[in-house]
Amino acid sequence: MQHRQVRRHGVLPRTERRGDLTRGHAIGAGLDQKAEGVEPRRLGEGGEGRDGAGLFHESRNIDEMAARQACRLRGGAARAIAQSMNFSFALNATDGAARTGVISTPRGEIRTPAFMPVGTAATVKAMRPESVRATGADILLGNTYHLMLRPSAERIDRLGGLHKFMNWDRPILTDSGGFQVMSLASLRKLTEKGVTFKSHIDGSKHEITPERSMEIQKLLGSDIVMTFDECPALPADRTRIAESMRLSMRWAQRSRDAFGDRPGHALFGIQQGGLERDLREESAEALRVVGFDGYAVGGLAVGEGQEAMFGCLDYAPAQLPEDKPRYLMGVGKPDDIVGAVKRGIDMMDCVLPSRSGRTGQAWTRRGQVNLRNARHADDPRPLDETCTCPACANYSRAYLHHVVRSQEMIAGMLLTWHNLHYYQELMGGMRDAIAAQDFADFETRFHAMRAEGDIDRL
Amino acid sequence: MQHRQVRRHGVLPRTERRGDLTRGHAIGAGLDQKAEGVEPRRLGEGGEGRDGAGLFHESRNIDEMAARQACRLRGGAARAIAQSMNFSFALNATDGAARTGVISTPRGEIRTPAFMPVGTAATVKAMRPESVRATGADILLGNTYHLMLRPSAERIDRLGGLHKFMNWDRPILTDSGGFQVMSLASLRKLTEKGVTFKSHIDGSKHEITPERSMEIQKLLGSDIVMTFDECPALPADRTRIAESMRLSMRWAQRSRDAFGDRPGHALFGIQQGGLERDLREESAEALRVVGFDGYAVGGLAVGEGQEAMFGCLDYAPAQLPEDKPRYLMGVGKPDDIVGAVKRGIDMMDCVLPSRSGRTGQAWTRRGQVNLRNARHADDPRPLDETCTCPACANYSRAYLHHVVRSQEMIAGMLLTWHNLHYYQELMGGMRDAIAAQDFADFETRFHAMRAEGDIDRL
């Protein structure tokens, strides 16, 4: 059912990706060379070449995997495999500021631009992981804050790590816990050292510092670890934003120090600075000095609105190293995503497709559809006749309306599947368009179809 | 993952089943010939040989299916297909009172003894129909009362029938609505004509008569239709039970008259009479006079307890025609099911496996396991190491505990799957044991394993 998505992977031939790897960093045609004095780094730096004395099972597993595969190969092939056991990023093509490429990790490749479904509490709500994969997802996001509280990072480590625990063997990115401490926990106390808070689940007291965040994410077995940061809600005054950003930059250095050498695992720094261009540049420079395997644009999608966000994205991604993945945290709606990719973002995550699916909301090429609406009650047509997800392939709008109204679990199951499928199709469409130097047309078609709106009622 | 279940189907070779069909009715070795003066009927009577002027789409579909298949065949093969377009029952083996066989319908075969998962509101809660099928289910049950209220039988008919609506193309049995009017609706008024009541959903006023129940079940496109009956809760006094039973028998005749001739569709009569053997016999005789395609033992599992139920099942199934399927409504726990099959029951349904799955309760060979219990929090072992369902194959008890405690939807999804899988494995095990004349040993092993209880805590 998901063959389209899988075939789309073929846009990035394996040989081409390997070629990019051996070239060090590959910049596709059409990407402006930025004049920021950034010395191009060898791809994979930060993950490669370090002493891999991994203390944790996942490092051992990776060594075993590498050894096992290398046994069957010789010479160059064995070296290529050993290299793929590390974290690296190769750009395949660019179109304006938009980029497409592949992040290689020991747990599999991540096609970029990538949308990461959110698996907060070791599950993408209403989905089995096999189904998440069937939508075309290459990577999931897990929430450090939720997992440290329940079932706890130490317990997940004892049980073999988050991948095994939740039955997802592909890459996992974990956030640092900082954002959700601020949005969910009570009695927060912020100091230079870190943050103390009470659990929203049982009121128990906890502390997260940059060092503890690194420890938790290591215990979880995360493939892509995020530095611990503080993220103020917008609007906020410039002084507050600057102070917060500088604290986050000091925490970024502490995160880097605490992360240590973990071959095959990546640490991403998070740019802050609100909507202040010079603070964003100061933050980017601070992160570049430390050096990370990827860079996130943090502190957006926190109430500033799409126009302001795009205004920031017009310059923020370009402030970050172009040879590393750029991740826009917590975004967003489909049109947010298209606008972010257009501006040079490679990775995104958002609860929207899964959360919407549990409230009867579907996202399609034609915009948002509220299946609770009575207009669907007798409608025998699929949600989207061109969609191959199980909700569209097997059910009428009338059925989806019925199960939404009846509060049946299958409503959330089917609509979450559809929404995640739609998001992944959107990402695949953008990857194809960038590879074909056709992104502007893609964007025009995307907006035109949404402007048409949902199909007419019967 | 479900191969075991599928292989088990091989116990009933296709040629053997065809042989049974052509022999009229086949009684396996070991079945006592009952001395109740019942003239053996030709298998399929009630569904076969009638004038198939179907008014509804499902009849037309069946004619089309038969014609299409017959086109590709000649002579005897074409006749065999035409015959399979009707409803019939063939016993393959018996062991004591226990029986195994196959119900053939135009929508597929039902291996008996059969457990029917309950799909109340056009969904087996927390399951996609593909997953229900993967557990080994041959047939689902739909609830007339729920479906007539929401989304309504007329709407489902307009949308192409219940099978298409809910994406389940195999057989569906619908109850008559009588039992649930009594248990769920308010302001019920019972007369000779039928019952009026207010919807538990929106307070709207409705009437069900035997004629209306037949109409609703026809609109739904049900393959096995149940007569409209009244079912008193137990304990009740003998006078009340007798009056109720006789009303149900008059309704059974009216149901038969209203059902009409619908080739490929079956009408089952429902025996009543509480725990009174003579009333049960009077009811069975009344049903035999009318003539049905199958017979249900109704009015049990309504509060009488297992001992009393088994006491009734020691005689009730034998009062019903032996060449037709016998269906025990609303049963039950695994040990209820084994005891009922032992006493000659061929079909059962119950919400227990799906409802338990949504409350963290699992049913295994070793009895019931409450996954909310803290003893599972650190347990890396599967729920049942011998089970091949996704919950057991891919997850630890610790994970199941975590998602139950976190009220994640995947908890209900996985545990419902496991429970339905276990129930279907139990049915398959009984079918094999009966075919092998090994039912007594099967029952001994079943109880011995449960007596051992769940695996020791770590």
Side-chain angles (χ1 to χ4, degrees):
Chain A
M1 192 158 299
Q2 312 297 331
H3 290 162
R4 244 194 292 174
Q5 198 66 34
V6 172
R7 277 203 308 273
R8 187 163 284 141
H9 196 156
V11 170
L12 311 169
R14 179 161 290 271
T15 49
E16 191 181 327
R17 290 196 303 271
R18 288 279 171 255
D20 287 337
L21 272 171
T22 54
R23 280 202 307 276
H25 83 143
I27 304 299
L31 179 70
D32 294 332
Q33 292 288 342
K34 300 293 182 297
E36 293 168 359
V38 188
E39 188 64 26
R41 294 151 185 263
R42 223 183 133 262
L43 275 188
E45 187 170 3
E48 282 184 13
R50 294 180 178 175
D51 185 2
L55 291 173
F56 288 80
H57 52 85
E58 64 272 20
S59 306
R60 287 201 303 276
N61 288 345
I62 290 160
D63 292 343
E64 281 167 24
M65 284 163 62
R68 218 177 309 130
Q69 294 192 48
C71 277
R72 300 192 223 108
L73 302 162
R74 292 171 200 291
R79 273 194 304 278
I81 291 290
Q83 191 171 41
S84 79
M85 292 297 106
N86 283 312
F87 181 93
S88 62
F89 176 54
L91 274 176
N92 289 54
T94 62
D95 185 3
R99 304 140 46 105
T100 184
V102 175
I103 299 169
S104 296
T105 85
R107 290 191 180 271
E109 294 183 336
I110 304 157
R111 296 161 291 174
T112 65
F115 178 79
M116 303 184 282
V118 178
T120 296
T123 166
V124 176
K125 293 183 196 298
M127 296 284 284
R128 294 198 301 134
E130 297 90 324
S131 311
V132 177
R133 176 60 184 159
T135 67
D138 292 332
I139 176 171
L140 294 187
L141 181 142
N143 287 124
T144 285
Y145 171 80
H146 290 82
L147 293 169
M148 71 177 280
L149 296 180
R150 186 169 60 190
S152 88
E154 280 71 13
R155 176 167 284 158
I156 288 179
D157 177 53
R158 283 196 299 275
L159 292 162
L162 184 55
H163 296 82
K164 182 177 177 186
F165 186 60
M166 71 183 291
N167 189 32
W168 173 266
D169 63 3
R170 290 181 173 268
I172 294 176
L173 179 149
T174 45
D175 63 9
S176 67
F179 180 79
Q180 285 174 318
V181 165
M182 292 303 155
S183 58
L184 292 173
S186 60
L187 289 180
R188 296 180 301 272
K189 192 180 162 198
L190 182 72
T191 67
E192 181 69 27
K193 185 184 175 203
V195 57
T196 57
F197 60 94
K198 281 199 172 177
S199 161
H200 73 290
I201 298 170
D202 62 6
S204 56
K205 199 174 167 188
H206 298 267
E207 178 177 42
I208 312 185
T209 60
E211 293 75 19
R212 175 62 180 154
S213 178
M214 295 306 103
E215 183 181 28
I216 291 171
Q217 294 180 75
K218 193 171 184 177
L219 288 166
L220 296 175
S222 171
D223 303 286
I224 302 181
V225 170
M226 300 305 296
T227 55
F228 189 61
D229 67 338
E230 201 232 345
C231 173
L234 296 182
D237 68 51
R238 186 180 155 86
T239 309
R240 163 85 181 95
I241 289 172
E243 283 174 1
S244 168
M245 179 271 286
R246 286 167 195 144
L247 175 65
S248 288
M249 294 309 100
R250 293 191 296 277
W251 285 359
Q253 179 67 61
R254 283 169 56 191
S255 295
R256 172 85 268 178
D257 294 344
F259 181 80
D261 294 332
R262 301 183 63 212
H265 298 262
L267 178 65
F268 279 25
I270 305 175
Q271 182 198 43
Q272 292 289 352
L275 303 176
E276 312 287 329
R277 186 169 185 158
D278 59 335
L279 296 181
R280 285 271 167 196
E281 177 54 37
E282 180 185 332
S283 177
E285 176 59 24
L287 295 175
R288 282 197 303 267
V289 167
V290 179
F292 291 95
D293 306 306
Y295 295 84
V297 179
L300 294 181
V302 289
E304 73 281 8
Q306 190 188 71
E307 195 182 348
M309 181 175 80
F310 283 175
C312 182
L313 291 178
D314 284 337
Y315 56 78
Q319 295 171 334
L320 300 170
E322 64 191 353
D323 62 344
K324 294 290 162 69
R326 300 164 178 165
Y327 161 32
L328 178 59
M329 306 182 80
V331 172
K333 291 186 184 177
D335 53 332
D336 295 331
I337 286 177
V338 171
V341 167
K342 179 185 184 178
R343 291 165 174 84
I345 293 296
D346 305 307
M347 303 167 71
M348 274 151 291
D349 77 282
C350 191
V351 296
L352 191 67
S354 42
R355 182 171 292 169
S356 295
R358 298 197 305 284
T359 57
Q361 308 296 315
W363 295 92
T364 77
R365 300 169 301 137
R366 295 170 173 276
Q368 200 173 358
V369 178
N370 180 356
L371 284 155
R372 291 194 68 83
N373 194 303
R375 69 174 283 195
H376 306 297
D378 270 304
D379 197 331
R381 296 171 299 180
L383 176 54
D384 182 340
E385 64 180 5
T386 68
C387 179
T388 58
C389 86
C392 293
N394 302 326
Y395 298 95
S396 60
R397 288 172 175 236
Y399 182 80
L400 298 173
H401 170 80
H402 166 66
V403 290
V404 167
R405 285 287 185 106
S406 303
Q407 299 181 283
E408 290 286 349
M409 286 172 69
I410 199 171
M413 294 159 63
L414 290 175
L415 292 179
T416 300
W417 195 319
H418 167 80
N419 287 341
L420 291 176
H421 181 99
Y422 169 67
Y423 267 61
Q424 295 297 343
E425 283 234 320
L426 180 62
M427 304 315 290
M430 287 193 289
R431 291 192 295 264
D432 288 353
I434 297 164
Q437 309 290 304
D438 188 35
F439 192 81
D441 280 356
F442 177 90
E443 194 187 9
T444 302
R445 292 193 304 273
F446 169 79
H447 289 296
M449 183 66 84
R450 286 164 63 91
E452 276 189 29
D454 194 19
I455 51 176
D456 292 334
R457 70 171 67 202
L458 285 181
Chain B
M1 194 158 296
Q2 312 299 328
H3 290 164
R4 244 195 289 173
Q5 198 67 33
V6 172
R7 278 205 307 275
R8 188 164 282 136
H9 197 158
V11 170
L12 311 169
R14 182 160 286 271
T15 49
E16 190 182 324
R17 291 197 301 272
R18 289 278 172 256
D20 287 338
L21 273 171
T22 53
R23 278 202 308 277
H25 82 143
I27 305 298
L31 177 69
D32 294 332
Q33 294 286 342
K34 299 294 182 298
E36 293 168 357
V38 189
E39 190 62 26
R41 294 151 186 262
R42 221 181 135 263
L43 274 188
E45 188 171 5
E48 280 184 14
R50 293 178 178 176
D51 185 2
L55 291 174
F56 288 80
H57 52 85
E58 64 271 22
S59 305
R60 285 200 304 275
N61 288 345
I62 289 159
D63 292 343
E64 281 167 24
M65 284 164 60
R68 216 177 312 129
Q69 294 193 47
C71 277
R72 297 191 224 110
L73 301 162
R74 291 170 202 293
R79 275 194 303 278
I81 291 290
Q83 191 172 42
S84 79
M85 292 296 107
N86 283 313
F87 181 92
S88 63
F89 177 52
L91 276 176
N92 288 52
T94 62
D95 185 1
R99 303 139 50 106
T100 183
V102 175
I103 299 169
S104 296
T105 84
R107 290 192 180 271
E109 295 183 337
I110 305 156
R111 297 160 289 174
T112 66
F115 178 79
M116 303 184 282
V118 178
T120 296
T123 166
V124 176
K125 291 182 197 301
M127 296 284 283
R128 292 198 304 134
E130 298 89 326
S131 311
V132 177
R133 177 59 184 160
T135 66
D138 292 333
I139 176 171
L140 295 187
L141 181 141
N143 286 125
T144 285
Y145 170 80
H146 291 80
L147 293 170
M148 71 178 282
L149 297 180
R150 186 170 58 191
S152 89
E154 280 72 14
R155 175 167 284 157
I156 288 178
D157 178 52
R158 284 195 299 274
L159 292 163
L162 183 56
H163 297 81
K164 183 176 176 186
F165 186 61
M166 71 182 291
N167 189 33
W168 174 264
D169 64 3
R170 290 181 174 267
I172 294 175
L173 180 148
T174 45
D175 63 8
S176 68
F179 179 80
Q180 285 172 319
V181 165
M182 293 302 156
S183 58
L184 290 175
S186 60
L187 289 179
R188 296 180 301 271
K189 193 178 160 198
L190 182 72
T191 66
E192 181 69 26
K193 186 185 175 203
V195 58
T196 57
F197 60 94
K198 281 197 172 178
S199 160
H200 74 287
I201 298 171
D202 62 5
S204 57
K205 201 174 164 188
H206 298 267
E207 180 176 40
I208 311 184
T209 60
E211 293 76 18
R212 175 62 180 154
S213 177
M214 294 305 102
E215 184 181 27
I216 291 170
Q217 293 179 77
K218 194 171 184 175
L219 288 165
L220 296 175
S222 171
D223 303 286
I224 302 182
V225 170
M226 301 303 298
T227 56
F228 189 60
D229 67 337
E230 201 233 345
C231 172
L234 296 181
D237 68 49
R238 184 179 159 86
T239 309
R240 164 84 182 95
I241 288 171
E243 284 173 0
S244 168
M245 179 272 285
R246 286 168 194 143
L247 175 65
S248 288
M249 295 306 102
R250 294 190 295 277
W251 285 0
Q253 179 67 61
R254 283 169 55 192
S255 296
R256 172 85 269 179
D257 295 342
F259 181 80
D261 293 333
R262 301 183 62 211
H265 298 263
L267 179 64
F268 279 24
I270 305 173
Q271 181 197 43
Q272 291 289 354
L275 302 175
E276 311 287 328
R277 184 169 186 158
D278 58 334
L279 295 180
R280 287 269 167 197
E281 178 54 35
E282 181 186 330
S283 177
E285 175 58 23
L287 295 174
R288 282 197 303 267
V289 168
V290 179
F292 290 95
D293 306 307
Y295 295 84
V297 179
L300 295 180
V302 289
E304 74 280 8
Q306 188 188 71
E307 195 181 347
M309 181 175 80
F310 283 174
C312 182
L313 291 178
D314 283 337
Y315 57 79
Q319 295 170 333
L320 300 169
E322 66 191 351
D323 61 344
K324 295 290 163 69
R326 299 164 178 163
Y327 162 32
L328 178 60
M329 305 181 80
V331 172
K333 292 186 183 177
D335 54 332
D336 295 332
I337 286 177
V338 171
V341 167
K342 178 185 185 179
R343 290 165 174 84
I345 293 296
D346 304 308
M347 303 165 72
M348 274 151 291
D349 77 282
C350 191
V351 297
L352 190 67
S354 41
R355 181 170 292 168
S356 296
R358 298 196 305 284
T359 58
Q361 308 296 316
W363 295 92
T364 77
R365 301 169 299 137
R366 295 171 172 277
Q368 199 172 358
V369 178
N370 180 356
L371 285 155
R372 290 194 69 83
N373 195 303
R375 70 173 282 195
H376 305 298
D378 269 305
D379 196 331
R381 298 171 298 178
L383 176 54
D384 182 341
E385 64 181 4
T386 68
C387 179
T388 58
C389 87
C392 293
N394 302 327
Y395 299 95
S396 61
R397 288 173 175 234
Y399 183 79
L400 297 173
H401 170 80
H402 165 66
V403 289
V404 167
R405 284 288 185 106
S406 303
Q407 300 181 283
E408 290 287 348
M409 284 173 70
I410 200 170
M413 294 160 63
L414 290 174
L415 292 178
T416 299
W417 193 322
H418 167 81
N419 287 341
L420 290 176
H421 181 98
Y422 170 68
Y423 266 62
Q424 295 297 344
E425 284 234 320
L426 181 62
M427 304 315 289
M430 287 193 288
R431 290 192 296 264
D432 287 354
I434 296 165
Q437 310 290 304
D438 189 34
F439 192 82
D441 279 356
F442 177 90
E443 193 188 8
T444 302
R445 292 192 304 271
F446 169 79
H447 289 295
M449 185 64 84
R450 286 163 62 90
E452 274 189 30
D454 193 18
I455 51 177
D456 291 335
R457 72 171 66 204
L458 285 180

